[in-house]
Amino acid sequence: HSARVYDTTNTATLVAGSHHYIGDSLTSKSIMQGKFTLSGTAALEVQHFCSGTKATFGFGGQVAWQVGVFTRITFLKVG
């Protein structure tokens, strides 16, 4: 699986994440780090791709007493 930050306004990948094959493991991360410049207003998405999921829990299981957090992202304005 892999993740990316994608600019849907300008159809461009801004930051590409690492790729991982996890097999039967339940824990893995696609780590993204990078810099990009926006020349104007743009709609951004975090997109996550994988070759297959489990019918019972898709991209990952949720802890019963907690809201599942599957992505965390921080944007900093420089300058």
Side-chain angles (χ1 to χ4, degrees), residues 7-32:
D7 177 346
T8 61
T9 304
N10 300 297
T11 61
T13 298
L14 302 177
V15 180
S18 56
H19 301 277
H20 293 273
Y21 174 75
I22 61 171
D24 290 333
S25 172
L26 296 178
T27 304
S28 181
K29 298 176 183 177
S30 176
I31 299 170
M32 295 181 284

Side-chain angles (χ1 to χ4, degrees):
H1 69 99
S2 182
R4 69 181 180 177
V5 176
Y6 188 74
D7 177 346
T8 61
T9 304
N10 300 297
T11 61
T13 298
L14 302 177
V15 180
S18 56
H19 301 277
H20 293 273
Y21 174 75
I22 61 171
D24 290 333
S25 172
L26 296 178
T27 304
S28 181
K29 298 176 183 177
S30 176
I31 299 170
M32 295 181 284
Q33 182 176 353
K35 291 183 180 182
F36 56 87
T37 301
L38 298 175
S39 59
T41 301
L44 305 182
E45 293 180 349
V46 174
Q47 297 179 339
H48 187 187
F49 301 93
C50 74
S51 60
T53 62
K54 300 277 187 185
T56 54
F57 54 81
F59 275 120
Q62 179 175 330
V63 177
W65 50 266
Q66 178 180 339
V67 175
V69 176
F70 297 100
T71 302
R72 291 187 177 154
I73 190 166
T74 302
F75 292 101
L76 303 173
K77 183 177 179 179
V78 178

